[in-house]
Amino acid sequence: MMTVSAREGYRAWAATYDDAANPVTSLLNRHLEEFVGDTRGKRVVDVGCGTGRWVSRFGAVGVDLSFEMLARGPRRVTQGDARALPFRDACADVVMCALALGYVWPVGDVMRELTRISRGVVIAADLWPGVGWKRTFGSVEIENREYLLEELDVEGLVLEDARELFLGDEERRIYASAGRMDLFERVKRNPVLWMRRWRR
Ligand SMILES: C[S@@+](CC[C@H](N)C(=O)[O-])C[C@H]1O[C@@H](n2cnc3c(N)ncnc32)[C@H](O)[C@@H]1O
């Protein structure tokens, strides 16, 4: 399988990212909203915001590497790299990062950058490591690195909540309509996503 950079991969994926039935985003959609909670009156920054679906939902400011992904979404977004965020220290009550950490390495550097701009909580979610999930779009793999969950816990953050998310009925339907129930049966036994909240 051909591998492309995140810039290239998301340039191609941007046009259909929000529309394609995807079990991973479906699973996250079912859990993240409740996990983040009420953000009214809070300053929220969404790192690796993609098309900005959480930016709209949480009244956030978003940042992403991909112009093409940003161009699909709301206006409260800016182009930037998660390794050197264009925000000042301690500027946000909630700093979130969904499904993006695997594209940026070493993950500890990104976690330190999320921590730097937070004065409240850091919330992140991503694919469960070590079970062979591929970050693919069509027939290409987007360059990524596996990391250990322990690498997420950087100095200055205290873990408040950690969840393991498993596929459910909504995701089963997506696999069924793609004719991939064999795959569903294989992956349903392990967590598909981790989701964590730390306090600064
Ligand atoms: C799977 S999408 C997730 C988008 C969104 N957070 C969501 O939940 O739908 C991953 C995003 O990470 C972005 N990304 C990859 N590397 C990045 C980096 N170094 N800095 C900022 N964003 C990056 C990609 O451009 C892409 O939009």
Side-chain angles (χ1 to χ4, degrees):
M1 184 176 277
M2 191 171 82
T3 303
V4 300
S5 68
R7 279 289 286 122
E8 252 183 272
Y10 280 97
R11 180 181 301 136
W13 199 346
T16 53
Y17 181 85
D18 283 333
D19 304 328
N22 179 322
V24 172
T25 50
S26 163
L27 180 60
L28 186 64
N29 293 350
R30 293 197 292 111
H31 294 275
L32 189 64
E33 200 162 321
E34 176 265 324
F35 196 66
V36 173
D38 188 356
T39 56
R40 276 173 298 181
K42 293 184 179 161
R43 298 193 63 164
V44 184
V45 174
D46 182 7
V47 178
C49 66
T51 55
R53 51 208 198 97
W54 301 114
V55 170
S56 313
R57 175 63 197 85
F58 296 121
V61 171
V63 57
D64 198 282
L65 197 61
S66 166
F67 289 109
E68 293 78 10
M69 290 290 274
L70 294 171
R72 318 280 313 173
R75 291 192 180 274
R76 291 161 57 94
V77 292
T78 185
Q79 199 268 343
D81 193 315
R83 283 166 283 224
L85 291 167
F87 300 108
R88 61 181 167 75
D89 294 358
C91 67
D93 302 298
V94 179
V95 177
M96 54 179 291
C97 182
L99 303 178
L101 285 174
Y103 297 112
V104 203
W105 54 86
V107 74
D109 286 359
V110 187
M111 290 302 299
R112 276 182 278 279
E113 192 56 357
L114 303 182
T115 305
R116 179 185 68 76
I117 67 164
S118 177
R119 59 179 175 224
V121 295
V122 172
I123 294 173
D126 201 15
L127 287 170
W128 193 266
V131 287
W133 282 101
K134 297 231 177 289
R135 298 179 196 248
T136 54
F137 168 60
S139 58
V140 298
E141 178 163 19
I142 302 179
E143 204 180 358
N144 66 89
R145 293 282 190 282
E146 282 242 329
Y147 52 83
L148 301 172
L149 290 176
E150 296 83 79
E151 294 177 64
L152 298 167
D153 293 316
V154 298
E155 201 180 326
L157 289 183
V158 177
L159 186 62
E160 269 193 353
D161 198 346
R163 312 241 180 125
E164 303 174 354
L165 306 185
F166 291 79
L167 299 176
D169 285 343
E170 285 189 34
E171 293 75 42
R172 176 202 296 272
R173 279 194 282 278
I174 296 171
Y175 282 96
S177 55
R180 291 309 313 266
M181 281 305 288
D182 57 321
L183 191 53
F184 178 78
E185 292 302 328
R186 193 141 43 87
V187 295
K188 72 174 188 190
R189 292 183 199 95
N190 292 308
V192 169
L193 295 174
W194 61 262
M195 188 166 71
R196 292 186 170 193
R197 182 175 56 245
W198 297 262
R199 187 150 297 274
R200 176 87 170 92

